[in-house]
Amino acid sequence: MMGWYHDGMGWGGWVVMTVAMVAFWGLVVFAVLALFRTQRSGESAPDRRDPMQILDERFARGEIDEDEYHARSSVLRGSVH
């Protein structure tokens, strides 16, 4: 066991070990971030709103007037006058 460190890896081995260590920790960080993204995307998926709800909200905010509201709601309900 004499000379164990003197005939060791050399500088090439240290470079390979360093690159492998950085790659390993990079994969660990990537896996943790990917795990949190999939959990978060499941929770915060935007719910599909009903078109009539959107129309009601636009009317309540004053973006459309009463005539336009009634015209669009009749189209959405399928009973065009």
Side-chain angles (χ1 to χ4, degrees):
M1 289 230 189
M2 301 253 329
W4 196 3
Y5 291 107
H6 296 291
D7 297 320
M9 291 184 287
W11 67 270
W14 288 106
V15 170
V16 170
M17 278 186 14
T18 303
V19 169
M21 181 69 79
V22 169
F24 170 76
W25 285 111
L27 286 173
V28 169
V29 169
F30 176 77
V32 168
L33 290 177
L35 180 67
F36 282 119
R37 279 191 203 134
T38 57
Q39 287 179 350
R40 206 173 351 140
S41 67
E43 294 172 359
S44 65
D47 57 326
R48 304 260 323 162
R49 294 191 302 169
D50 182 38
M52 281 303 296
Q53 286 178 326
I54 297 171
L55 187 63
D56 291 341
E57 290 171 7
R58 290 187 65 199
F59 181 64
R61 284 193 299 260
E63 294 177 6
I64 57 175
D65 61 358
E66 187 176 356
D67 295 330
E68 186 175 358
Y69 174 78
H70 289 298
R72 289 178 184 244
S73 65
S74 64
V75 169
L76 287 174
R77 291 187 177 135
S79 59
V80 180
H81 297 238

